[in-house]
Amino acid sequence: MIRIIACGKVKDAWLRKGIEEYATRIRPYDKIEIAEVPDEKAPDSNSAAENEQVKLIEGERLLKKINDGDYVILLDLAGKECDSIALSERISSIYTYGKSRIDFVIGGSLGVSEALIRRSDFRWKLSSNTFPHQLCRLLVLEQIYRSFRILHHEPYHK
Amino acid sequence: MIRIIACGKVKDAWLRKGIEEYATRIRPYDKIEIAEVPDEKAPDSNSAAENEQVKLIEGERLLKKINDGDYVILLDLAGKECDSIALSERISSIYTYGKSRIDFVIGGSLGVSEALIRRSDFRWKLSSNTFPHQLCRLLVLEQIYRSFRILHHEPYHK
């Protein structure tokens, strides 16, 4: 099964709708769950140390959602690229080698903690461009859906 | 002013809403217009030659929307990366050097024609991952909005 583990509620109704839409499209291929942990306030007036603290707390909350045997794909601007074909191959080989749950972890607005980086099995750079972390949820779901379409030799949109 | 030149109608209502939302956020910073040209049907049964023809026709329609003096940024998987800071610097320097209109051109589901590639001033690879071209509209608008926030030294979401 696939889990998206992410921080904070999605505020925009259109974005919630899009996320739900892609989750629905994935369901015929695999179980999918979105696990949301509360985010911390990070006002612009925060010091660097305070921001570090926010990242740490959010990181701990995300970590708690991860089970021991899970394969963890961490969304990380400092990670490696993985195009749509490579992602489908990765998902297929994770399942083949006995892992039954893949967690896609999306950090909060300040990025990902060191502890999350250590726990991750693969750090994925989706783009060199920074996107709002809530929009990332949609993009990750679209890529997972696309992966299953590729694995099932079905057409998918470009 | 900024123009998005793209193929086909956006079918999902939530996506239309998201696109409109970002266009509205951009408007305090610059004029923004979305120019849509009709797309061609490209059924999976199409031969390679038929698909090439679709790309050509859609390319011609997109080209017709581009004015002589425009600076053209073409979304292209075979292009170069341009992170959010670099994009904001690029937009700023285009305006500084006398171009008054920037066109972001998004091809159809089969990609971009050779003629479009020749006309473009910059080919931008947004991600190694393929996204539906209609979703690209949202992503490009988000990055343009982010660019203006960066240029105005205003906070923006991550």
Side-chain angles (χ1 to χ4, degrees):
Chain A
M1 78 170 291
I2 303 277
R3 291 205 314 165
I4 309 287
I5 304 180
C7 250
K9 295 209 176 302
V10 173
K11 286 176 200 86
D12 296 306
W14 60 267
L15 188 51
R16 280 201 303 273
K17 185 88 181 67
I19 288 168
E20 193 39 59
E21 171 75 29
Y22 275 110
T24 304
R25 289 185 199 170
I26 291 168
R27 281 198 186 100
Y29 301 99
D30 202 352
K31 277 190 207 155
I32 167 109
E33 195 184 294
I34 298 175
E36 215 170 62
V37 305
D39 52 2
E40 283 291 289
K41 284 210 176 77
D44 295 322
S45 58
N46 259 6
S47 66
E50 284 167 328
N51 276 341
E52 205 47 46
Q53 193 60 23
V54 167
K55 213 159 82 174
L56 213 75
I57 295 170
E58 291 182 340
E60 281 307 311
R61 288 179 190 156
L62 292 164
L63 267 175
K64 272 194 192 140
K65 291 280 178 188
I66 300 171
N67 291 39
D68 276 352
D70 295 357
Y71 187 95
V72 176
I73 297 180
L74 179 66
L75 274 286
D76 186 352
L77 268 171
K80 285 187 184 157
E81 296 187 357
C82 178
D83 68 26
S84 308
I85 302 286
L87 182 67
S88 70
E89 287 165 353
R90 186 173 287 272
I91 289 175
S92 164
S93 92
I94 294 165
Y95 282 147
T96 304
Y97 291 101
K99 299 273 185 182
S100 60
R101 186 147 71 175
I102 306 175
D103 296 332
F104 289 83
V105 181
I106 304 168
S109 62
L110 299 169
V112 291
S113 69
E114 275 305 313
L116 269 179
I117 289 172
R118 281 195 303 274
R119 174 61 183 88
S120 65
D121 294 290
F122 179 66
R123 296 162 68 190
W124 178 23
K125 181 173 85 165
L126 184 59
S127 169
S128 299
N129 295 82
T130 309
F131 289 104
H133 65 110
Q134 298 191 333
L135 185 53
C136 274
R137 261 186 242 192
L138 179 74
L139 303 184
V140 167
L141 284 168
E142 195 280 333
Q143 288 297 305
I144 295 168
Y145 169 66
R146 183 177 296 266
S147 291
F148 284 118
R149 299 287 288 184
I150 293 170
L151 290 173
H152 287 77
H153 308 289
E154 291 165 339
Y156 49 93
H157 286 96
K158 287 173 197 162
Chain B
M1 77 169 292
I2 303 276
R3 291 205 313 167
I4 310 288
I5 303 180
C7 250
K9 294 209 176 303
V10 173
K11 285 175 201 87
D12 296 307
W14 60 266
L15 189 50
R16 281 201 302 272
K17 184 88 181 67
I19 287 167
E20 192 39 58
E21 171 75 29
Y22 276 109
T24 303
R25 289 186 200 169
I26 290 167
R27 280 198 186 100
Y29 301 99
D30 202 353
K31 278 192 207 154
I32 168 109
E33 193 185 295
I34 299 176
E36 217 169 60
V37 305
D39 52 2
E40 283 290 289
K41 283 210 176 78
D44 295 323
S45 58
N46 259 6
S47 66
E50 283 167 327
N51 276 341
E52 206 46 47
Q53 193 60 22
V54 166
K55 215 160 79 175
L56 213 75
I57 294 169
E58 290 181 342
E60 281 307 311
R61 287 178 190 156
L62 293 164
L63 267 174
K64 274 193 193 140
K65 290 281 178 190
I66 300 172
N67 291 37
D68 276 353
D70 296 357
Y71 186 95
V72 176
I73 297 181
L74 178 67
L75 274 287
D76 185 352
L77 269 170
K80 284 188 184 157
E81 295 186 357
C82 178
D83 69 25
S84 308
I85 302 285
L87 182 67
S88 70
E89 287 165 354
R90 187 173 285 273
I91 289 175
S92 164
S93 91
I94 294 165
Y95 282 148
T96 303
Y97 292 102
K99 299 272 186 183
S100 60
R101 186 147 72 174
I102 307 176
D103 296 332
F104 288 84
V105 180
I106 304 169
S109 63
L110 299 170
V112 291
S113 69
E114 275 304 314
L116 268 178
I117 289 173
R118 280 196 303 273
R119 174 60 182 88
S120 66
D121 295 290
F122 179 67
R123 296 161 67 190
W124 178 23
K125 180 173 87 166
L126 185 60
S127 169
S128 299
N129 295 82
T130 310
F131 289 104
H133 66 110
Q134 300 191 333
L135 186 52
C136 274
R137 262 185 242 191
L138 178 74
L139 303 183
V140 167
L141 283 168
E142 196 282 331
Q143 287 297 305
I144 295 168
Y145 169 66
R146 183 177 297 267
S147 290
F148 284 118
R149 298 287 289 182
I150 292 170
L151 291 174
H152 286 78
H153 309 288
E154 290 164 338
Y156 49 93
H157 287 97
K158 290 173 195 164

